[in-house]
C-alpha cells in the first residue's frame, strides 16, 4: 500500500480530536506545486479555489488543507498559513512571502461534540507534516467522517481518510482522500462495503434504491468527499484542471450516489514538476485508479467510534 507522500516533496500532517470527533489534515509542499481543483458537489465549503483556475495569476500552492467542522473549520487553514509564514514560505509579493493555502471542509458536526478545527489545529497539522506518512482510517480530517447517511446517523457507518500511490517507471501518482459521503461505498467487485444500514444493522438498504423508492429530499446531515491527487509529472494548471475533472470519475465509481446536492465533493490536483511525460490519457487513468484505491483504503481501515460501526466490525 502506497501513500501520497511517495511523490517527492509532498508532506502530510494531521490534527486529531478523538474526544470531540473531528480533525484536520495538511498536505504541505514547501517548494510549491502547480495546482488545480474541480468542485462537483452541490454543498461545497472551500478556500482559495478560484485562484487555482488556469486563467488566474498564482501558479503554485504551498499547502492543501482538509478539515472537519463545516464552514467554520476553514479557520484551520489559517493555522497552516501561519506555520508556513514562520518558515518564510509562500508567494513572493515583493513585500513579504504570502503562503498559498487552498482547502475544503467536511461536515462532521453531527458525529461528536459540534466543534471545529481552529487555527491552532491547522498549525499542529502543518507542523507535524512528514514525507513518511502512510496511515488510513480514523486519521486527521477522517476522524469524524461517516458514510451512508440517507436515513440519518443511527444507520450511518464510519468513513475516514485513505491514501495510496501508483508507480509506473519514473512516474509517481499519489492520492489522499477523506470519505464523508451521503452515498454507499462500493469495492472493486461492485459490492457495497459501507453505507446506509438496514433496520437490523446487519446489511445495507442500497441508498440509490431507497431514494428512488421514497423520493426523499430531506437529508439533515451534510456530507463531502475531498480528494487530493499529486504527481511528479510536469503539468500546467490547465492540464491539472482536466485531471481534476477526470479524477471525479473515481468518486462516481466507488460512491453512489455521488456529487449530490448534499455533498461538497471536491478534488485538488498537484504537480511537483520533476518529470516530463506528455500523455494526459495515461495520467487520467492513473489519477482515477489511485483515487479509487484511496477511497477503499479509507473505508477498510476505519474503526468503529461510539455507536458508529466500521467496515471491519460489520457482520454481513
Amino acid at each position: 500500500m502506497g501513500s501520497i507522500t511517495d511523490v517527492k516533496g509532498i508532506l502530510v500532517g494531521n490534527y486529531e480530536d478523538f474526544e470531540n470527533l473531528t480533525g484536520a489534515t495538511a498536505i504541505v509542499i514547501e517548494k510549491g506545486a502547480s495546482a488545480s481543483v474541480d468542485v462537483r458537489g452541490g454543498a461545497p465549503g472551500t478556500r482559495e479555489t478560484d485562484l487555482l483556475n488556469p486563467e488566474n495569476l498564482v501558479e503554485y500552492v504551498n499547502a492543501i488543507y482538509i478539515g472537519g467542522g463545516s464552514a467554520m473549520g476553514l479557520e484551520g487553514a489559517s493555522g497552516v498559513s501561519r506555520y508556513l509564514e514562520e518558515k518564510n514560505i509562500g508567494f513572493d509579493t515583493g513585500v513579504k512571502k504570502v503562503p498559498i493555502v487552498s482547502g475544503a471542509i467536511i461536515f462532521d458536526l453531527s458525529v461528536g461534540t459540534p466543534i471545529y478545527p481552529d487555527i491552532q489545529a491547522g498549525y499542529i497539522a502543518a507542523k507535524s507534516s512528514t514525507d513518511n506518512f502512510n496511515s488510513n482510517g480514523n486519521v486527521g480530517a477522517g476522524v469524524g467522517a461517516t458514510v451512508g447517511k440517507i436515513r440519518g446517523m443511527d444507520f450511518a457507518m464510519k468513513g475516514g481518510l485513505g491514501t495510496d500511490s501508483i508507480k509506473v517507471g519514473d512516474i509517481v501518482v499519489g492520492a489522499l482522500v477523506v470519505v464523508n459521503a451521503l452515498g454507499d461505498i462500493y469495492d472493486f467487485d461492485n459490492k457495497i462495503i459501507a453505507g446506509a444500514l438496514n433496520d437490523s444493522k446487519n446489511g445495507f438498504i442500497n441508498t440509490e434504491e431507497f431514494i428512488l423508492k421514497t423520493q426523499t429530499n430531506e437529508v439533515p446531515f451534510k456530507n463531502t468527499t475531498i480528494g487530493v491527487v499529486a504527481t511528479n509529472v510536469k503539468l500546467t494548471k490547465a492540464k491539472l484542471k482536466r485531471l481534476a475533472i477526470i479524477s471525479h470519475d473515481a468518486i462516481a465509481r466507488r460512491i453512489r450516489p455521488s456529487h449530490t446536492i448534499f455533498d461538497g465533493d471536491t478534488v485538488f490536483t498537484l504537480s511537483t514538476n520533476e518529470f516530463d511525460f506528455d500523455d494526459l490519457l495515461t495520467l487520467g487513468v492513473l489519477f482515477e485508479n489511485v483515487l479509487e484505491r484511496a477511497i477503499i483504503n479509507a473505508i477498510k481501515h476505519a474503526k468503529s467510534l461510539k455507536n458508529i460501526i466500521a467496515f471491519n466490525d460489520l457482520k454481513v
Side-chain angles (χ1 to χ4, degrees):
M1 187 184 304
S3 166
I4 193 172
T5 59
D6 291 335
V7 180
K8 185 179 178 181
I10 303 290
L11 314 177
V12 173
N14 295 283
Y15 163 84
E16 293 145 356
D17 183 345
F18 287 105
E19 179 179 353
N20 298 296
L21 301 186
T22 192
T25 297
I27 299 95
V28 176
I29 318 97
E30 293 186 348
K31 293 184 178 180
S34 300
S36 193
V37 65
D38 189 60
V39 180
R40 292 288 169 107
T46 58
R47 163 188 161 130
E48 292 285 16
T49 50
D50 284 350
L51 194 65
L52 305 186
N53 290 334
E55 69 270 19
N56 290 335
L57 174 65
V58 175
E59 289 291 329
Y60 301 99
V61 299
N62 305 110
I64 302 293
Y65 167 84
I66 307 174
S70 190
M72 296 176 293
L74 287 171
E75 179 182 319
S78 295
V80 179
S81 182
R82 180 173 295 177
Y83 169 77
L84 293 170
E85 179 190 16
E86 290 177 358
K87 299 194 69 174
N88 196 34
I89 294 171
F91 178 75
D92 193 348
T93 66
V95 179
K96 69 175 297 180
K97 290 183 178 179
V98 176
I100 306 300
V101 180
S102 297
I105 48 81
I106 67 169
F107 187 96
D108 59 4
L109 298 175
S110 56
V111 179
T113 306
I115 66 171
Y116 57 91
D118 58 12
I119 291 177
Q120 183 64 17
Y123 185 93
I124 291 170
K127 189 174 182 180
S128 69
S129 60
T130 173
D131 63 358
N132 190 30
F133 172 79
N134 198 355
S135 298
N136 295 271
N138 301 7
V139 181
V143 168
T146 50
V147 301
K149 287 167 275 188
I150 195 67
R151 301 181 70 196
M153 294 306 297
D154 286 343
F155 297 96
M157 284 185 64
K158 189 71 184 71
L161 180 149
T163 189
D164 213 328
S165 68
I166 298 175
K167 299 178 183 178
V168 180
D170 292 325
I171 303 168
V172 184
V173 180
L176 181 146
V177 64
V178 176
V179 183
N180 184 63
L182 168 67
D184 303 322
I185 314 302
Y186 287 74
D187 65 12
F188 291 109
D189 294 323
N190 205 34
K191 295 180 180 178
I192 299 175
I193 57 173
L197 296 167
N198 60 24
D199 289 344
S200 300
K201 297 187 178 181
N202 61 359
F204 307 105
I205 63 165
N206 190 307
T207 294
E208 289 186 323
E209 292 178 4
F210 180 84
I211 291 171
L212 293 175
K213 181 179 180 180
T214 64
Q215 297 183 12
T216 180
N217 195 37
E218 297 181 6
V219 184
F221 302 104
K222 305 302 185 291
N223 316 280
T224 288
T225 295
I226 302 169
V228 182
V229 188
T231 183
N232 61 345
V233 174
K234 293 180 182 178
L235 294 165
T236 63
K237 287 170 69 177
K239 290 181 178 180
L240 285 164
K241 176 68 175 182
R242 175 51 54 188
L243 288 167
I245 293 169
I246 292 170
S247 297
H248 272 284
D249 288 349
I251 294 176
R253 288 174 182 168
R254 297 301 131 220
I255 304 173
R256 303 177 206 162
S258 59
H259 308 134
T260 76
I261 194 64
F262 298 107
D263 289 275
D265 298 340
T266 300
V267 175
F268 295 92
T269 46
L270 304 173
S271 167
T272 56
N273 294 301
E274 292 187 351
F275 179 69
D276 288 310
F277 182 74
D278 192 19
D279 183 350
L280 213 58
L281 180 61
T282 298
L283 284 174
V285 174
L286 291 173
F287 273 52
E288 289 173 345
N289 288 352
V290 75
L291 186 53
E292 286 185 85
R293 285 161 48 166
I295 290 169
I296 298 298
N297 288 341
I299 298 303
K300 289 193 171 181
H301 290 83
K303 296 180 180 179
S304 300
L305 283 177
K306 294 191 174 180
N307 296 321
I308 304 173
I309 194 169
F311 166 81
N312 287 302
D313 294 319
L314 183 65
K315 308 301 181 182
V316 178

